[in-house]
Amino acid sequence: MTITAALVLFAVTWFMVFFVVLPLRLVTQGDAGETVPGTHASAPADFKLGRKVKVTSLWAIPIWAALSAFILWGGVTVRDIDVFDRMAPANGPLVSE
């Protein structure tokens, strides 16, 4: 895995975890009973972005490490999931029929 691939994998993992963490412990303005004029009642009452970023990072780093280890292990390759046998054999040239 190249450095660029590792960074892309981390970014994708981080944002996926971030979108899971965003709605956790969300208190809306409607729930709090204090709706600011001009906003929806479903808008966050006290949004703490820094806390969400920290929680996301604490979860994303081990998930990214596990995914990276699985990719670098190499026990499962693309050829293992080629159910239609469209790929060439690993040790020889493509044989035309």
Side-chain angles (χ1 to χ4, degrees):
M1 178 184 326
T2 63
I3 293 174
T4 305
L7 290 174
V8 168
L9 180 65
F10 180 74
V12 169
T13 304
W14 192 91
F15 277 102
M16 287 181 65
V17 173
F18 184 64
F19 287 131
V20 169
V21 169
L22 270 178
L24 299 178
R25 295 188 182 184
L26 177 68
V27 178
T28 63
Q29 292 179 9
D31 295 339
E34 300 174 1
T35 305
V36 177
T39 62
H40 291 280
S42 60
D46 186 24
F47 186 66
K48 298 179 181 173
L49 182 62
R51 179 166 169 75
K52 302 275 185 182
V53 168
K54 288 177 187 175
V55 169
T56 299
S57 298
L58 288 174
W59 279 97
I61 290 171
I63 292 171
W64 170 77
L67 288 171
S68 297
F70 183 77
I71 291 169
L72 291 173
W73 168 57
V76 178
T77 64
V78 175
R79 295 184 193 285
D80 295 331
I81 58 174
D82 181 26
V83 295
F84 296 112
D85 292 327
R86 294 182 180 171
M87 298 182 76
N91 296 334
L94 180 63
V95 177
S96 61
E97 296 178 4

